[in-house]
Amino acid sequence: MKQTGNDSVAHGLPRHYYLSEEIYQQELERVFKRQWLVAGHISLARNPGDYFVKQVGPESMIIAHDKSGTMRAYFNVCRHRGYQILGDEEQGSRSIFVCPYHQWSYSNDGCLKAVPGAENGRAFAFEDYSLHEAHCEVWYGWICVYLGEDNPIPLADVAAPLSDEAKLKAIGSERLKLAHRETYIMDANWKSVFENGAECYHCAKGHPSLVVSCEYEAFYGGNVFEDPDRANFPLREGMATFSMDGKRVVKKALGTRQEDGFNTGFIFMPIFSGPILFVDHAVSLEVTPLARDRTQMISEWYVHEDAEEGADYDVQTLVEVFHNTNKEDSAFAERNYKGIRSARFTPGPLHPVREKMIIDNHKVYLEMMAAE
C-alpha cells in the first residue's frame, strides 16, 4: 500500500496483486486458511446425522452433525482418488457417506468404514484413511470453519470482539431457519469484490434500493463491527428493518421483542464473511474465491424457525433489497476488475474516511501475506 507526501496518503494495492497467479496461491495459504470463515447456520444441520455441503473459501466442505452431537467439517474429498463424495449444496440426513465413484464408505464422524474388495488391516488400515477434517466451531448458531492445518485462535476469541453477545442472545441468533439462498458468480478477483463491499463511497448513486432504509454514511470511518458504540448495520430513523420501504418483511419477529431498527451481527475481515441480524430477519454474506479472476458470493436469508412462508413472509419481498444490492455490487466489482486489468492502471489515493475500512483491512491483509 503506497504512501506519499507529508500526509502519508494511503493508496490501493498495486495492479499485480489482482492479476498474479503466484499471489493468488499465496492468498489461499496465508489468508483463506488462516482465519475463521462462516459456513452456514446450525439450522442446516440441527440434529445428529444432518449434513450439508458448502463452498467455504476455496474448498467444498461437508458440514456434518455427528452422532455424538458435535458439528464437524470434512473436506469433500474421498481418500481413495480424490473424487468429491457429495454434490454441491447437497443436504440431508444420513449416518454413512458413500463415494459414488468406487463406493468407499465413511461414517458421519469421518471414519472409513468399508472398501469394496478390501478388508480392514489387510492391504491397509482403514483408520489411516479417515476424511480430512477442518476445525469447526459454533458462535451463537453460526457454524465457522478454519481451513488451515495449524491450531487456530479459538473462535470465541476472534468473534467476541466483533459481537454484541447480549444482542445476539436477545435476537435469538440460534433459533433461525434458512428461507432463501442466492449465489452470485463474478468475473473478478476476490479483492475487487471485498473492497466494493467494504465501503459505501459509491452507495449514494450506486444503490438506490439500499439507501432507502440504510444510513450508509455511518459506514464511513471504518469497520462498524469493531466499534461497540456504533450500530452494526445502521438504519435510517423511522426504519424498522432493512427492506425496500423500511417496513418489516416478516410478521414473526426474531428473538424476544425488540424495537424497530434493531440490528447486530459480526463480519470477519479481510474476507467478507458473516451474518447481519435485524428485528425480523437475518442475512449472511460469504465471499469465496474460485480462481484468480473469478469469485463467488453466497447470500442467505434467515427467518424465525417457526415462521411460515406465505403466511409470515414472502420470499421475493424478503430478499428484494439485498438481492438488488448484491447484483449491483457484482456489476461494480466486474467492471472495476476490467479496469484493473488495463496496463495503464495504477492505484489512486483512498479516501481516509469514506474508504477507511479498505485501508484498515489492506493492512491486515498485507500482514497476513507477509507471515510465513
Side-chain angles (χ1 to χ4, degrees), residues 232-280:
N232 291 150
F233 199 93
L235 299 175
R236 293 189 183 280
E237 186 175 354
M239 300 291 104
T241 191
F242 188 52
S243 65
M244 291 294 290
D245 56 7
K247 296 179 181 178
R248 298 192 186 200
V249 291
V250 184
K251 293 179 182 178
K252 189 167 186 60
L254 301 184
T256 56
R257 184 175 180 84
Q258 302 298 322
E259 297 296 324
D260 286 352
F262 177 97
N263 60 90
T264 191
F266 56 94
I267 297 289
F268 295 133
M269 300 288 188
I271 310 304
F272 211 82
S273 175
I276 305 161
L277 298 96
F278 302 99
V279 69
D280 60 338

Side-chain angles (χ1 to χ4, degrees), residues 135-292:
H135 299 278
C136 183
E137 296 182 22
V138 179
W139 182 252
Y140 288 93
W142 300 95
I143 303 167
C144 299
V145 172
Y146 184 91
L147 298 173
E149 295 183 47
D150 58 318
N151 290 319
I153 298 172
L155 174 62
D157 291 350
V158 176
L162 303 176
S163 307
D164 186 323
E165 295 184 61
K167 284 188 174 183
L168 288 173
K169 291 177 182 177
I171 204 64
S173 185
E174 298 178 338
R175 298 188 60 190
L176 306 175
K177 71 175 181 181
L178 181 67
H180 187 70
R181 175 186 291 132
E182 286 282 349
T183 300
Y184 311 85
I185 305 295
M186 289 157 274
D187 293 327
N189 181 270
W190 71 271
K191 293 185 294 300
S192 296
V193 178
F194 156 73
E195 289 161 359
N196 177 77
E199 51 90 356
C200 239
Y201 198 175
H202 68 286
C203 288
K205 298 296 184 181
H207 293 311
S209 300
L210 177 145
V211 299
V212 172
S213 57
C214 177
E215 188 61 71
Y216 67 90
E217 291 184 0
F219 287 107
Y220 297 168
N223 187 353
V224 294
F225 294 93
E226 294 178 337
D227 186 344
D229 295 326
R230 300 167 70 187
N232 291 150
F233 199 93
L235 299 175
R236 293 189 183 280
E237 186 175 354
M239 300 291 104
T241 191
F242 188 52
S243 65
M244 291 294 290
D245 56 7
K247 296 179 181 178
R248 298 192 186 200
V249 291
V250 184
K251 293 179 182 178
K252 189 167 186 60
L254 301 184
T256 56
R257 184 175 180 84
Q258 302 298 322
E259 297 296 324
D260 286 352
F262 177 97
N263 60 90
T264 191
F266 56 94
I267 297 289
F268 295 133
M269 300 288 188
I271 310 304
F272 211 82
S273 175
I276 305 161
L277 298 96
F278 302 99
V279 69
D280 60 338
H281 71 285
V283 183
S284 177
L285 299 172
E286 304 161 30
V287 172
T288 297
L290 300 179
R292 170 183 54 82

Side-chain angles (χ1 to χ4, degrees), residues 39-41 44-45 50-54 61-63 90-92 143:
H41 189 264
L44 299 172
D50 291 352
Y51 72 93
F52 64 95
V53 178
K54 191 75 169 289
M61 303 297 296
I62 302 170
I63 312 299
E90 184 175 330
Q91 183 178 357
I143 303 167

